[in-house]
Amino acid sequence: MSQTDHLSNNTASSTLTIIQPDDWHLHLRDGDGLMAIAPFTARQCGRAIIMPNLSPPITTTLQANDYQKRILSATQQYPKFKPLMTLYLTDNTPPDEIDQAIKSGLVFAVKLYPAGATTNSEAGVTDLKKCYPTLERMQKLGLPLLVHGEVTHANTDIFDREKIFIEQRLIKLTQDFPELKIVFEHITTADAVDFVTESSSFIAATITAHHLLMNRNDMLVGGIKPHHYCLPVLKRETHREALITAVTSGNKKFFMGTDSAPHSQKNKENSCGCAGMFTAFAAIELYAEAFDQVDSLESLEQFSSLNGALFYGLKVNSDKITLQRKKWTVPTSYPFGDDNIIPLRSGQTINWTLLS
Ligand code: NCD
Ligand code: ZN
């Protein structure tokens, strides 16, 4: 299963064949936007965990069922693609909803957004205690909790929100629910890497390509870059290095989750611009670039295609994909409903090309 078996080392033209990846954290939106962006992920991933932060959010299995149908219709061109649905946890999600979710066979996790933490999180959880009976049921039935791990107090520095979430929320949560499967989503700090590494096997984490490739200078130096603004916000270089060490360590707790979060150009290039980067159009290519930068391509497959399936208790994909170390230029924009969307690396190059 090692990629080195497949990596031809003739420098510039080398190719890499790996088991088809899965995206364990993806925003697909709805309506025309969904139709425009879902095929990008379906083309390269076997499955994706679909975030429920629509407006209004997906809080019931019934809504998840309808949303899944809309996603399947947007990805008809790639009939093997499986959208794995999630529910948005609120203060009032009843434990019985968890039974429904499990019974449906289409819901694979429940997402915790602390109220006010990020895009469409107004209906999120105000006090985790209110959710304890529901978390109890999830622990019992083995349904993972996916956590947006940032505190939201106005007086907490935005660069410290993840670290303080660990100290004030996550430690207690893992003590109160020692056998609840938790994915600490899109981690961005050395503190989160350490927490996950030192926790039990019930705790894992996703890491985005953009947090592996960029630090906060990429957002703020030489002019503010709204397309590099996301939540959790990019951090300093030492944190990026800790993330790189985590994904190339061979530790099974870390897996691919792009957090590709498209917003229209006008909502990004705005005096109050939305958080989120659009990376799904070249997800695996961007990760390949990050691993290649530190000569660790042999670790990519485990991170992108094995660890997530293992944590969720699913089989790995049976198909393979092949990447080539060949530069291509990213379009300056892609259509997005009535508007357009500016992809990461708009008009610039990516070093890897997905061949099939
Ligand atoms: C996400 C979005 O736009 O839905 N934004 C982001 O910056 N990542 C929400 C989220 O995952 O925080
Ligand atoms: Zn997200």
Side-chain angles (χ1 to χ4, degrees), residues 57-251:
I58 302 292
T59 54
T60 67
T61 302
L62 213 59
Q63 289 171 315
N65 189 20
D66 288 346
Y67 185 31
Q68 188 185 47
K69 287 190 188 135
R70 301 197 290 280
I71 296 168
L72 290 172
S73 111
T75 55
Q76 271 173 29
Q77 212 186 327
Y78 303 98
K80 285 185 174 174
F81 174 70
K82 288 201 189 70
L84 311 178
M85 308 311 290
T86 62
L87 300 185
Y88 183 113
L89 187 67
T90 71
D91 287 349
N92 307 312
T93 305
D96 287 356
E97 193 60 52
I98 304 306
D99 298 335
Q100 297 301 320
I102 300 268
K103 227 186 285 163
S104 74
L106 61 95
V107 173
F108 287 80
V110 172
K111 179 72 193 277
L112 162 65
Y113 289 100
T118 187
T119 309
N120 297 339
S121 62
E122 299 76 12
V125 172
T126 61
D127 178 0
L128 256 179
K129 278 266 179 240
K130 296 188 175 161
C131 303
Y132 268 34
T134 302
L135 296 177
E136 204 70 76
R137 193 70 59 90
M138 289 168 60
Q139 174 170 256
K140 182 163 160 232
L141 298 177
L143 193 65
L145 178 71
L146 315 183
V147 175
H148 183 110
E150 291 191 287
V151 293
T152 57
H153 330 123
N155 58 354
T156 302
D157 189 288
I158 191 164
F159 292 101
D160 298 333
R161 288 180 173 201
E162 185 171 284
K163 178 177 164 33
I164 294 186
F165 185 87
I166 298 168
E167 294 163 3
Q168 295 188 356
R169 304 274 187 275
L170 208 45
I171 290 174
K172 170 101 173 97
L173 183 66
T174 55
Q175 284 165 351
D176 290 350
F177 298 95
E179 298 201 347
L180 175 63
K181 280 186 168 184
I182 296 176
V183 184
F184 195 174
E185 297 288 337
H186 43 54
I187 61 168
T188 61
T189 57
D191 312 86
V193 169
D194 291 346
F195 174 80
V196 172
T197 305
E198 288 156 19
S199 298
S200 79
S201 61
F202 288 94
I203 317 297
T206 53
I207 301 184
T208 76
H210 47 277
H211 288 102
L212 293 175
L213 288 164
M214 294 189 286
N215 65 34
R216 63 197 193 179
N217 281 7
D218 293 293
M219 178 179 58
L220 294 171
V221 172
I224 192 158
K225 315 284 192 316
H227 299 291
H228 291 173
Y229 171 61
C230 65
L231 289 171
V233 73
L234 293 172
K235 304 294 191 302
R236 64 167 64 242
E237 177 63 7
T238 48
H239 292 298
R240 190 191 72 83
E241 286 165 0
L243 299 176
I244 289 281
T245 303
V247 299
T248 56
S249 67
N251 188 330

Side-chain angles (χ1 to χ4, degrees), residues 256-324:
M256 167 168 150
T258 63
D259 194 19
S260 177
H263 293 276
S264 68
Q265 181 174 10
K266 70 171 185 300
N267 285 339
K268 290 289 290 176
E269 298 173 12
N270 188 293
S271 60
C272 186
C274 292
M277 296 192 208
F278 177 54
T279 56
F281 70 98
I284 193 66
E285 298 92 319
L286 289 163
Y287 280 108
E289 201 178 290
F291 280 67
D292 198 13
Q293 278 175 2
V294 289
D295 289 329
S296 295
L297 283 169
E298 73 286 351
S299 303
L300 178 63
E301 182 181 59
Q302 194 189 337
F303 172 79
S304 66
S305 316
L306 305 180
N307 292 350
L310 184 73
F311 184 83
Y312 276 86
L314 300 170
K315 283 192 187 147
V316 300
N317 292 315
S318 48
D319 288 351
K320 300 214 166 186
I321 59 160
T322 298
L323 289 150
Q324 185 175 23

